Amino acid sequence: MLNPKQKFAVFMRENWCEFINDKLIENNRIERYTQKSYKRLGLDIAATKHEGGLVKSRVATGATMD
């Protein structure tokens, strides 16, 4: 059972996606946003973590991170 803060977060995510999708439709774009998780979409993939350009460049060159 979701607490009131969780319900509000779900509500806001759903409304944000609806707003964005309406704007995409108005602009004849094919992309769509969803608040659903990969699991709820039936996808067997894991979300990635944003690391930033510096970390990516260091990892690509084999440098270690402090």
Side-chain angles (χ1 to χ4, degrees):
M1 179 101 184
L2 298 176
N3 68 39
K5 286 184 182 180
Q6 291 169 321
K7 286 181 183 179
F8 180 72
V10 168
F11 170 79
M12 291 303 294
R13 286 186 196 115
E14 289 172 350
N15 281 310
W16 177 248
C17 288
E18 185 178 326
F19 172 78
I20 293 298
N21 289 332
D22 287 345
K23 296 301 176 188
L24 288 168
I25 291 167
E26 286 176 16
N27 290 286
N28 299 316
R29 301 295 300 254
I30 62 169
E31 307 94 290
R32 296 296 179 265
Y33 284 79
T34 181
Q35 75 282 0
K36 295 177 183 175
S37 67
Y38 288 150
K39 184 177 181 179
R40 282 185 60 200
L41 291 171
L43 302 173
D44 190 26
I45 57 176
T48 59
K49 180 179 178 184
H50 177 73
E51 296 175 330
L54 177 63
V55 173
K56 283 185 179 182
S57 66
R58 286 191 175 181
V59 169
T61 60
T64 59
M65 297 298 297
D66 296 331

